Structure formats: structure tokens, C-alpha cells
Amino acid sequence: MSFAPEIRRGEVTIRHLSKSFTLNGRPLPVLKDVNLHIRSGESLAIVGASGSGKTTLLRVMAGLDEADAGEVLIDGKAVRGVGAERAVIFQEPRLLPWLTVIDNVAFGLETRGVSREEAKTRARRYVQLVGLQQFENAYPRQLSGGMAQRVGIARALVVQPEILLLDEPLGALDAMTKISMQQELARIWRDEDVTTVLVTHDLEEAIYLADRILILPREKGGEPRLIEIDMPRPRDRSAREFVRHREELLNLFGLH
Amino acid sequence: MTLENVNPPLTTNFRLASAGRTGVTMAPRLRALIGPLLSRYGLVLSFLVLWQVSSSQGWVNPAVFPSLDVILAALWDGIASGALLDDIAISLQRSGIAFASAVAIGIPLGLFMGQVKAIEQALDPLLQFFRQTSALALYPVFILLLGLGETSKVFVIFWATLFPTLLSTIGGVKEVDTKLIEMARTYGAGRLTTFRRVVLPASVPAIFVGLRLSATTALLLLIAAEMIGANKGIGFQVMNAQYNFQIPLMFAAILLLALLGLAANAVLVLLQRRLCRWSQPSP
Ligand SMILES: Nc1ncnc2c1ncn2[C@@H]1O[C@H](COP(=O)(O)OP(=O)(O)OP(=O)(O)O)[C@@H](O)[C@H]1O
Ligand SMILES: [Mg+2]
């Protein structure tokens, strides 16, 4: 069997990935032989019941946790720890409270050795991109939850990652802010050339944003499933196809 | 009662409010200025007035509690004649050197110990032991080792002053949100960068809590040290004046100490405001 994939930027291959934690002295298997290929520029959503291992999978991809077996390849190279081609957006914005909005956005550039001025200039563009130009000099405590999360998104985008890893980035927001942020994310992903992996609890969010949805099984030993969302963008939440996908997902979770 | 009566339309509400604002006279503005001052310093003021009245009216024995003007006169005499200036200078020098050394050692050591778990765990029992042993109880030991001169005095103040800063700094570093450290890691920050850009700024508020405690401790120990075997210093003057029954001078020296403490605290608060602007509510 010949297997010679053409390697492009921001491509993720996960091979036979397994990981378990230890709970009360006994092993707790979380991920069992996960295999997945994420295309360059694709947006993949990961959904699954609480505790199904979504965060764990994302953290392994981020290089924050190590797998017990198997590997994650990025652009054909095995992941060892964190890397400049990946950026993570966590559920909490994780802003540095002593830095202003613009300095928070510039943070990831400065840690990688970009000069302060250059970093600030580049950061300014992304502060604008997320619509916070008026708040450039505000401190995180002066921002609402949604605004703070947008700063986090700008901070991740400004380093121009090939792969953006998001762990329930909108989970803590109210329904209306959430929808407008989803639209914003959809717009940003259209403009920025980036592969995105989005962990979410929100099925509608997954259908709205993703090209494909990975459903992690509820019970261990079950097979992960993938469904393709082939809909034009921007997507219409009330379109028949959208509703059909929602029902399909609800059925998969036994909730219909 | 109709609903409209309960909830007047918003527009009327606004009009009423703005009418009130345009009709501002001097009186409410003055009240707005004095109000907070009064609520903050009202009690202090009442205390001073009570002191003055009870002393001058003979409610208390004025030989033991001289009136404020007598105390202030004694203070002024002491300063104008230069007699108290020497004491102030030597006291400032003792507590200043001790405080500065405690800070210079406490903060770096605390930053280091807070980060390196093994060292912190090894040293913590020892620190707790020393901290629980009163510095004053150790003063005789220091005198034995360092003589009855300046060194032992400065050292006992230093010793007591070190712990608040050291322990607060260690605590501050240990409390730093690991989620922020992890965030920095995903952006490629190494140990040094993480320390400089995350751990250090995050610890500043805790360090200041320690510094303010240390400043208070420094003055406390200063007086104690000066009361035992000194022949100069504000603490010595308190004891000496009492001994010679110069009660106004005694209170003048006590007042001086209080002012010194307030000044030290004010400087630290100001510095903290400058360094931690991010955590202050906007003015
Ligand atoms: N550091 C850890 N130590 C021990 N067990 C862990 C650790 N992290 C996660 N687990 C366990 O791994 C399992 C999967 O956790 P994970 O956080 O990946 O779930 P999740 O799918 O993200 O859930 P949620 O939707 O609630 O965020 C859980 O059963 C959890 O208890
Ligand atoms: Mg999770």
C-alpha cells in the first residue's frame, strides 16, 4: 500500500492516539486509538458528551499534554510540545490583567522576539479586526466577557498560526453575544488562512462554523463519528439543511 | 394606582434628573467635597477634640495627658532646637537600613523560593519556626553575638522585618494563576520570559502587602530596640522623657513615631498605585 500524502501548511494527522489518566490509582482511559486527518484550512468541530475527552484531545494537539501512544503530525512532523505554528484559545480569555488590550494582543509576538514597536503595530490591526479599537488602552477588568474573549482571539490570530485550537471559546457567553461572536469567527476564518479545531458543547455552533464535525463517543470503546457539513456560507440557521444536521446530531446523542 | 404612576415614563425621569443637576448650588458641592473627608477622618478629629477639651477642662490630669497645643509646642521646640533632629536621624537610619536590607533580600529570595518547590518545601519549616520566635526574644542573642552597638539594633529590626516581605512574596509567587503560565507557554515563553512577564507582575500586589507589613514591623522593632540600651533615637526619647517626667516631650516623640509610620505607609501606597494601576478602579 502506498501512502504518500501531499503535505501542505496547517495539516494535522492524528495516528493511533491513546491517552489515559490515573484516577484513584486506577487508569482511566480517555482517548482510545483516535485516527483523524484534518485538511489544510479546514474547520473541524469536536463535539461529545462531557468527559468524552474533547479537551484532552485538543491539549495533546496543542502540545500541552502528552499522549501515551500514537502521534500527532503537523505538516508531517510529529508534535513535541508547543509550537509557533499552533495557537490556543481557551474557554477563559486568560488575559494578563496588568496589560492593556493592545499589549495583551502583542504578548504572543513579543515572547517570540518581535520588537515592541513592531508587535504593537501588528497587534493594532488585529484589535481592529475584532472591533475593539476604542478599547486599545483598556485593562481587562474594564471589558465585558465577550470583549475579553475577542482580545484572546486577536492575540491568537496576530501570531498568524497555521492551526487555531479552540476549547469552548464561547462557552461562557450569553446567547446573543455568542451568536454575534460566531458570525465574527465565521468572517475571520473566511479571511484568515488557518486550520481550526473547535471544541464545543453547542451543536448549532458546530454546524454553523465547521466543515466537518467529529463526534466523540459517549461510552468508551465506541467509534468516533464524522459528519460533513456541506452548506454555503454564511450559513442560515433556519435553512432546512441546517435543521436536518441538527436533528442528525441530536439523534446521534440519543436526544431525539 | 395605575401602572403609569408607578413607572413614570423614562423621559420625565431624565428631565427631572438633569433639572436637578443644572440647579447645583455651592452647598451640595461643598458637601460632596467634605462628606468623604468627614467620613474618613471624622473619628480622628473627634478624638483630637475630645483630647484637647478633656485636658484643658481638667477632666483628665493635664500632667499625664497634656493638651495638644502643649504637645505640639514640645515637638516644635525639640525640632527647632535641633535636639530631636539627632534622634529622628538615627532612628531613620536604623529602621531604613534594616528595612532596605530586608527588602533587598526578602523579595529576590521570596521570588526564588516561590518558584522552586523543592527549596520552598525544605526551607518552609525553618522559616515558620523563626517567624514564630519573637525577634525581641532573640534580641539578647543578637546582642551577645554582635555587641550592644548599632549592629545588633539594626539586625534585630532587619530580622523581624524580613519575614513579612519574604513570606508574602513566596505566597504571591505560589498563587500565580497557572492558567496564565500555561497561556504564556503556548506562546513560546521560556522560564525567564514567563517569570518576567507573568510571575513577577502577578506577584506585585502580594509583595506590597508584605512591604507594608514590614514597614510597620520595622518601626515597632525600632522602638523596642531603642528602649533597650540606646542613648539616642525616638524610642529612647519616649522612655527618657517619661523617666524625667517630661510628659509633653514623651507624647511629642510618640506623635513623631505615628507620623513616621503614616508617612512610610503613604509612600508605599503611592508606589503601589503607580505600579498596580491595572488593579485599581478607574478614577
Ligand atoms: N489532569 C487530569 N487528571 C486526571 N484525569 C483527567 C485530567 N484531565 C482530564 N481527566 C479526565 O479525562 C476525562 C476527559 O476529560 P476532558 O476534560 O478531556 O473532557 P471534555 O470532553 O473536555 O469534557 P467537558 O465537555 O466537560 O469539557 C474526564 O473523565 C476527566 O476526569
Ligand atoms: Mg473540556
Side-chain angles (χ1 to χ4, degrees):
Chain A
M1 189 169 61
S2 88
F3 183 68
E6 192 187 323
I7 290 166
R8 291 189 304 179
R9 275 169 58 85
E11 203 172 46
V12 185
T13 308
I14 297 173
R15 279 205 215 129
H16 305 298
L17 190 83
S18 296
K19 180 163 181 67
S20 42
F21 289 106
T22 323
L23 194 69
N24 300 326
R26 270 194 267 137
L28 172 78
V30 176
L31 300 173
K32 272 172 101 177
D33 194 25
V34 176
N35 290 283
L36 181 66
H37 181 79
I38 307 170
R39 297 185 291 262
S40 169
E42 180 183 18
S43 40
L44 179 89
I46 303 177
V47 300
S50 187
S52 55
K54 305 182 294 291
T55 297
T56 308
L57 180 56
L58 200 79
R59 287 179 62 88
V60 172
M61 289 164 78
L64 290 170
D65 282 342
E66 252 180 77
D68 301 337
E71 57 187 355
V72 175
L73 303 172
I74 289 183
D75 298 334
K77 279 223 306 270
V79 158
R80 295 259 173 284
V82 298
E85 76 289 345
R86 280 160 288 154
V88 188
I89 295 174
F90 301 94
Q91 176 163 4
E92 334 75 40
R94 302 199 186 186
L95 304 182
L96 298 173
W98 47 87
L99 297 184
T100 57
V101 165
I102 184 120
D103 287 336
N104 262 294
V105 175
F107 179 80
L109 290 170
E110 285 174 12
T111 53
R112 294 233 166 79
V114 177
S115 79
R116 222 183 132 61
E117 262 151 72
E118 169 73 16
K120 233 171 162 145
T121 314
R122 282 202 239 165
R124 190 159 286 127
R125 246 196 68 218
Y126 282 84
V127 171
Q128 267 163 22
L129 184 78
V130 296
L132 287 176
Q133 54 275 23
Q134 281 174 325
F135 293 88
E136 245 186 49
N137 296 313
Y139 286 101
R141 73 183 154 76
Q142 299 167 313
L143 306 176
S144 71
M147 286 155 76
Q149 197 54 275
R150 279 190 274 170
V151 178
I153 292 168
R155 176 178 61 192
L157 289 174
V158 74
V159 299
Q160 301 201 300
E162 296 169 25
I163 299 153
L164 199 56
L165 304 165
L166 306 98
D167 191 0
E168 297 186 42
L170 312 182
L173 303 179
D174 67 90
M176 264 184 304
T177 313
K178 202 171 182 174
I179 288 179
S180 85
M181 294 275 296
Q182 285 164 1
Q183 292 170 348
E184 213 163 310
L185 282 182
R187 175 177 62 81
I188 291 168
W189 294 355
R190 186 196 61 205
D191 296 343
E192 307 279 319
D193 180 26
V194 62
T195 307
T196 53
V197 181
L198 168 76
V199 165
T200 179
H201 268 136
D202 185 334
L203 300 182
E204 199 176 294
E205 179 171 297
I207 304 167
Y208 186 75
L209 287 171
D211 297 319
R212 283 191 302 163
I213 303 177
L214 175 74
I215 301 118
L216 290 184
R218 219 169 10 164
E219 66 285 333
K220 309 291 162 201
E223 276 294 304
R225 303 232 354 216
L226 264 172
I227 66 173
E228 185 108 23
I229 310 291
D230 188 15
M231 283 179 68
R233 294 163 194 267
R235 289 176 178 164
D236 176 1
R237 287 166 206 264
S238 53
R240 277 194 42 211
E241 233 185 318
F242 200 100
V243 176
R244 191 177 56 71
H245 280 306
R246 236 183 57 169
E247 278 175 7
E248 185 185 356
L249 279 169
L250 284 172
N251 274 328
L252 276 173
F253 283 102
L255 294 169
H256 215 250
Chain B
M1 204 193 254
T2 64
L3 252 180
E4 278 147 79
N5 283 338
V6 184
N7 276 329
L10 271 177
T11 44
T12 0
N13 246 342
F14 280 137
R15 215 175 302 139
L16 280 176
S18 58
R21 221 173 287 135
T22 46
V24 160
T25 58
M26 268 317 280
R29 206 179 283 172
L30 208 66
R31 211 178 304 144
L33 206 74
I34 293 178
L37 278 179
L38 210 66
S39 70
R40 197 166 155 75
Y41 298 108
L43 270 177
V44 177
L45 216 69
S46 327
F47 173 75
L48 293 177
V49 168
L50 185 69
W51 179 296
Q52 179 69 11
V53 170
S54 20
S55 176
S56 55
Q57 295 295 307
W59 300 346
V60 293
N61 183 357
V64 181
F65 294 105
S67 64
L68 293 178
D69 53 294
V70 177
I71 295 173
L72 287 176
L75 182 61
W76 177 247
D77 278 353
I79 291 172
S81 70
L84 271 178
L85 286 182
D86 271 356
D87 295 307
I88 297 174
I90 189 90
S91 287
L92 279 180
Q93 186 190 320
R94 285 170 183 150
S95 49
I97 293 177
F99 181 74
S101 335
V103 170
I105 293 175
I107 293 179
L109 189 62
L111 288 174
F112 182 65
M113 283 177 65
Q115 292 222 96
V116 189
K117 211 174 181 152
I119 295 185
E120 203 262 331
Q121 274 174 347
L123 279 178
D124 188 59
L126 193 67
L127 275 183
Q128 295 301 337
F129 179 76
F130 279 144
R131 188 172 72 128
Q132 298 302 333
T133 315
S134 160
L136 277 180
L138 292 173
Y139 191 28
V141 181
F142 298 150
I143 293 176
L144 207 62
L145 290 173
L146 303 166
L148 196 55
E150 284 305 298
T151 322
S152 62
K153 282 186 189 54
V154 171
F155 193 80
V156 74
I157 303 171
F158 160 78
W159 182 261
T161 306
L162 176 67
F163 290 100
T165 294
L166 179 61
L167 293 171
S168 292
T169 307
I170 294 174
V173 173
K174 277 172 41 181
E175 298 279 278
V176 177
D177 191 352
T178 49
K179 289 181 166 175
L180 291 183
I181 294 175
E182 192 179 73
M183 180 280 294
R185 183 147 70 96
T186 64
Y187 286 105
R191 253 193 108 86
L192 198 69
T193 308
T194 304
F195 173 76
R196 202 170 56 79
R197 306 243 18 211
V198 182
V199 176
L200 191 60
S203 315
V204 169
I207 293 176
F208 266 99
V209 171
L211 288 182
R212 287 167 67 179
L213 268 170
S214 279
T216 310
T217 311
L219 287 177
L220 203 75
L221 264 287
L222 170 75
I223 304 319
E226 287 182 344
M227 283 179 172
I228 305 169
N231 50 18
K232 245 195 247 163
I234 308 176
F236 164 76
Q237 277 306 341
V238 175
M239 282 304 270
N240 197 48
Q242 189 259 357
Y243 192 72
N244 295 325
F245 217 68
Q246 297 169 292
I247 302 305
L249 181 63
M250 179 187 84
F251 276 111
I254 293 175
L255 182 64
L256 210 53
L257 284 168
L259 293 179
L260 217 62
L262 285 175
N265 197 55
V267 168
L268 286 173
V269 168
L270 219 70
L271 198 64
Q272 183 174 18
R273 286 236 177 95
R274 275 203 65 91
L275 283 175
C276 303
R277 214 168 294 155
W278 52 273
S279 66
Q280 315 287 299
S282 34

